[in-house]
Amino acid sequence: MSVSVSGAAAEKNPWRSHTARICTITPETPGVRTYELELEDPVERDHYRFAAGQFNMLYLPGIGEAAISVSSDPAGRDTLAHTVRAVGNVTDALARLGPGDQVFVRGPFGTPWPVAEMLGRDVVIVAGGLGLASQRAAILFLMAERACRSVTVLHGAKRPDGLLYGREYDAWRAAGVAVHTIVNEADASWSGPVGLVTDLLTDSLRDPSATTILCCGPDPMMMGVAKAAIGRGVATRDVFLSLERNMACAVAHCGLCQFGPLFVCRDGPVLPYERIAELLRIPQV
Amino acid sequence: MSASVPTVGSWHRLDRAGLQAVIDVLWLVGHRVVGPQVADGAIVIRDLRGVAELPTGWLDDQDGGSYRLRHDPVAGTFDHVVGPHSLKNFLFPARETIASFVQLNGSWSQTPPPAQVPPLAVLGVRGCDLAALAIQDRVFLGSGYVDEPYKSRREKLFLVAVNCRRAAATCFCHSMGSGPAAGPGFDLALTEIEGGFACEVGSERGAAVLAEAVAAGASIGGCSPEEVEAARGVPQALAARMHARQQGDGEPRPRSLDTHGIRDLLMTNLEHPRWDEVAARCLSCTNCTLVCPTCFCSSVQEVADLSGDHVDRERQWASCFSLDHARMHGHSVRSSTAARYRQWLTHKFAGWIDQFDTSGCTGCGRCITWCPVGIDVTEEIAAIRASGSGAAPPDGAAPAGAPEAGETAS
């Protein structure tokens, strides 16, 4: 009998990993580091392309694999940045590695942020904590492309030391990106606003009908942002969320990441809010 | 008698010696042959050398949470139905290495996949399990990325199907459109008739194997048009009985399922109180997902040797009933049994339609039989249909665009 197979990925073994070296490790916030990885095989390095919002599976033999967003500029050709919080087996082991150490990479997987369709629009990027890691690539893409009317980054964290990529805000602002931060709990060092990232939304929605929201953070935070933005006039179809779920394969075979009828690894992680609003509303889907 | 040269679509008459010759040819040309046998109080699928090992004279009485074998001197060789095993156990094994890594001089590299196992031939495959195979094909071959281990076994698979002439109380293939007649995809299909088997050829490979058996001296003749018609009538008569019995109050209760608009029915009732009621009985034991011939979830474990220099990435069956399935940052997205049962049932009967354009259920009834507390999917869905919101009337038209599970399962 013949078993028909179609699609560009048909002949690609999804379990094939590519060896990479850690070039630099940059401490970000407590427990969070950014790893710049270089694929060792020059052919792979040359062929590798990703779009902002996609993720890689980072693998350490004998330890395991973790799905991590690619945070670098999609136009970059040398290294791939991954910002990782040490919260489990694999990420704890990554935290013990240093420059020159080996990491395996397979990817990229998943859907990108819709940043290529932002001509003339206001783009508001809303990030809760480490969520900004998935959006840094989008920010760098939009900064370089200059097709949209404005880019605003609204970044909230629990405490001031949880704000990500602080050292880059000046460069983002110099390129025309508005950056606003807010924290839940202030400390002596903090003179900015205290509250939720949704509190920053109102001032950033000057022309809601021409605004696209790109949001990444914990599910309840993203639901709050989506509802607030839609309540202020942003079209439901212009709100995009990036979800996080358990994953083993990243190619819609292992089933672990299912969210209703969606495979978050393949149909996401970036999903239009209108497609998932009802599922997000129901607990434990 | 028609010509007895086997070709695709031709029918032949085999006695037990003829079936033995087919088994011998399959081994001879390099297949591992497996088939149904009585072991450990059930009919399981394992290596098969001879027709004497087949469960001739054994019947299985199945009901919610109950499976009993019973000897009946007038029962045929294939009058049992499905046991706990299915093709899934062989094509998508419970444990399998999907990648290997070796460390040399401090540097790791990925090693090529291991040599392939010999081709497999399975005897006694029912219509529901052929349908399950077609569903797993969509999961592992038809959704973009190809699962190479599955593909290599699938391409070499030789299938000797059987047309059922008996159904257990748990069988509802007639509702899901997957049986009792063995659908497309077989190489040979057997129908038990007086004194032997009518054998339909389904593929060139099936014809070649039958021709080899003839060449080896087996007495394999043609079937008369009357015999072909009689053989075709066997599963048709069973289907008619299954449709008729669902009107009655048999004991044990014969199962059936109304699939009209089932996708929307379930997706609009994610907060139905029935989920909590079934969760009060469900042990979250994962049995239903293990015996299900289409459940495909898996996780990957790291298996290192003592030196730590050789690591196999071992894929293992996973179950949406386990807390680990949807675990993130130390907690499970679906922490309640109600949410996990809802995930399983809504995925199988609704989400699957979105994902693979087919129901995930074939009506084989294994999840009912092997559930230790006898939870019955047909009963759960009927309860939601009886009291849920947006429930389609039993014979009403499905909403436009909603595929019918029973029409696409095969």
Side-chain angles (χ1 to χ4, degrees):
Chain A
M1 80 224 66
S2 71
V3 178
S4 69
V5 167
S6 61
E11 295 307 318
K12 195 173 159 195
N13 176 6
W15 296 107
R16 179 89 175 94
S17 271
H18 299 285
T19 175
R21 294 284 164 186
I22 299 174
C23 298
T24 61
I25 300 176
T26 308
E28 300 284 358
T29 62
V32 176
R33 296 169 183 80
T34 295
Y35 301 81
E36 292 279 353
L37 304 181
E38 183 183 52
L39 292 165
E40 288 201 289
D41 179 349
V43 176
E44 273 309 316
R45 198 159 62 229
D46 203 44
H47 283 172
Y48 186 96
R49 296 281 185 280
F50 77 99
Q54 289 192 293
F55 64 94
N56 280 328
M57 298 299 282
L58 300 189
Y59 174 61
L60 299 174
I63 311 283
E65 227 176 20
I68 309 286
S69 297
V70 193
S71 299
S72 41
D73 184 345
R77 286 286 172 268
D78 299 328
T79 62
L80 302 166
H82 298 78
T83 299
V84 184
R85 188 199 304 278
V87 282
N89 248 357
V90 180
T91 51
D92 284 348
L94 261 176
R96 293 192 291 269
L97 299 182
D101 283 341
Q102 189 180 20
V103 177
F104 283 85
V105 175
R106 58 186 184 98
F109 297 112
T111 53
W113 294 109
V115 284
E117 300 141 32
M118 294 295 108
L119 184 70
R121 296 185 65 82
D122 294 327
V123 181
V124 178
I125 289 171
V126 192
L130 195 58
L132 190 58
S134 152
Q135 295 160 322
R136 181 171 174 259
I139 295 166
L140 297 174
F141 176 90
L142 292 167
M143 276 167 54
E145 205 203 33
R146 296 180 175 276
C148 56
R149 186 165 64 184
S150 72
V151 182
T152 304
V153 175
L154 308 178
H155 182 29
K158 198 171 257 180
R159 283 177 289 274
D161 67 2
L163 293 168
L164 205 58
Y165 304 132
R167 66 185 180 284
E168 299 184 11
Y169 297 167
D170 286 346
W172 296 359
R173 288 182 175 124
V177 177
V179 182
H180 303 289
T181 54
I182 191 167
V183 300
N184 293 145
E185 300 166 19
D187 59 18
S189 72
W190 186 252
S191 57
V194 176
L196 299 172
V197 73
T198 41
D199 301 342
L200 300 175
L201 256 185
T202 309
D203 288 345
S204 305
L205 298 177
R206 283 177 296 274
D207 185 2
S209 67
T211 297
T212 297
I213 305 281
L214 309 180
C215 183
C216 186
D219 287 1
M221 169 263 179
M222 290 196 289
M223 288 167 68
V225 168
K227 281 181 190 158
I230 291 162
R232 286 166 178 77
V234 177
T236 307
R237 66 171 180 277
D238 292 327
V239 177
F240 295 86
L241 312 183
S242 181
L243 298 189
E244 183 181 11
R245 287 294 184 273
N246 190 19
M247 287 176 194
C249 74
V251 294
H253 285 173
C254 80
L256 301 185
C257 69
Q258 288 181 87
F259 180 53
L262 303 171
F263 291 102
V264 171
C265 68
R266 182 192 69 191
D267 306 317
V270 176
L271 286 154
Y273 177 68
E274 63 181 0
R275 200 168 165 196
I276 54 175
E278 176 64 8
L279 294 170
L280 279 171
R281 186 187 64 75
I282 299 168
Q284 298 195 40
V285 164
Chain B
M1 301 286 276
S2 62
S4 63
V5 176
T7 55
V8 176
S10 67
W11 286 74
H12 305 270
R13 176 176 259 286
L14 269 69
D15 56 10
R16 287 176 73 82
L19 184 57
Q20 180 66 57
V22 168
I23 295 169
D24 291 342
V25 166
L26 286 167
W27 278 107
L28 200 70
V29 299
H31 286 83
R32 173 192 173 198
V33 185
V34 300
Q37 287 161 68
V38 175
D40 304 328
I43 291 172
V44 299
I45 305 175
R46 56 182 194 180
D47 282 15
L48 181 80
R49 293 280 175 182
V51 290
E53 295 168 325
L54 291 167
T56 305
W58 287 99
L59 296 178
D60 42 4
D61 290 326
Q62 303 195 33
D63 196 5
S66 170
Y67 180 101
R68 294 286 184 278
L69 287 184
R70 158 168 69 91
H71 199 263
D72 182 336
V74 300
T77 298
F78 296 110
D79 284 332
H80 62 280
V81 295
V82 293
H85 290 171
S86 68
L87 291 172
K88 179 176 89 167
N89 298 68
F90 298 91
L91 288 165
F92 171 51
R95 287 168 184 272
E96 171 172 32
T97 296
I98 42 91
S100 298
F101 290 79
V102 61
Q103 183 174 225
L104 199 65
N105 302 324
S107 186
W108 288 92
S109 56
Q110 188 168 1
T111 56
Q116 292 304 328
V117 291
L120 183 78
V122 189
L123 190 88
V125 179
R126 308 308 171 100
C128 56
D129 281 346
L130 285 176
L133 181 67
I135 292 170
Q136 286 222 318
D137 283 352
R138 294 189 187 208
V139 175
F140 291 120
L141 305 177
S143 65
Y145 282 89
V146 169
D147 188 73
E148 288 297 334
Y150 181 92
K151 181 176 174 230
S152 69
R153 288 186 289 262
R154 177 70 178 90
E155 286 174 340
K156 292 180 250 172
L157 183 65
F158 190 96
L159 293 163
V160 182
V162 163
N163 285 303
C164 290
R165 59 179 191 181
R166 171 181 167 266
T170 46
C171 293
F172 58 105
C173 60
H174 66 301
S175 296
M176 304 312 294
S178 69
F186 57 79
D187 296 293
L188 297 172
L190 304 173
T191 307
E192 220 161 347
I193 54 175
E194 195 59 41
F197 309 93
C199 176
E200 183 185 3
V201 178
S203 71
E204 295 292 348
R205 294 193 306 169
V209 166
L210 216 51
E212 282 289 326
V214 172
S219 140
I220 296 175
C223 280
S224 69
E226 294 74 26
E227 284 172 322
V228 171
E229 196 175 332
R232 283 192 203 280
V234 166
Q236 286 168 5
L238 176 58
R241 288 202 304 281
M242 291 174 83
H243 282 286
R245 76 178 188 177
Q246 74 185 51
Q247 315 301 330
D249 305 315
E251 182 61 43
R253 187 178 66 80
R255 270 65 172 191
S256 65
L257 181 69
D258 178 359
T259 61
H260 285 98
I262 194 165
R263 180 197 172 278
D264 289 356
L265 172 75
L266 294 173
M267 293 314 285
T268 53
N269 282 289
L270 295 176
E271 295 173 292
H272 195 283
R274 186 75 184 191
W275 304 120
D276 286 323
E277 292 165 28
V278 69
R281 300 168 59 211
C282 175
L283 305 175
S284 235
C285 73
T286 77
N287 263 17
C288 51
T289 57
L290 300 181
V291 295
C292 177
T294 67
C295 269
F296 59 85
C297 284
S298 64
S299 60
V300 175
Q301 307 293 321
E302 302 293 311
V303 181
D305 69 0
L306 281 177
S307 74
D309 291 335
H310 299 86
V311 172
D312 285 339
R313 307 207 69 209
E314 191 177 83
R315 173 165 68 189
Q316 304 178 356
W317 288 354
S319 170
C320 53
F321 283 93
S322 103
L323 278 170
D324 280 336
H325 189 272
R327 192 181 291 280
M328 272 204 313
H329 310 311
H331 79 280
S332 174
V333 171
R334 289 183 280 275
S335 55
S336 73
T337 302
R340 297 201 292 280
Y341 187 86
R342 179 181 67 190
Q343 167 63 24
W344 180 69
L345 189 138
T346 58
H347 180 220
K348 189 69 60 188
F349 290 89
W352 220 293
I353 294 172
D354 290 30
Q355 293 169 350
F356 303 108
D357 198 24
T358 174
S359 174
C361 177
T362 67
C364 73
R366 287 181 177 92
C367 58
I368 303 171
T369 297
W370 298 98
C371 174
V373 296
I375 292 171
D376 178 340
V377 280
T378 65
E379 204 177 308
E380 296 311 308
I381 293 170
I384 286 172
R385 188 180 291 281
S387 60
S389 65
D395 296 306
E404 285 308 319
E407 290 163 15
T408 51
S410 59

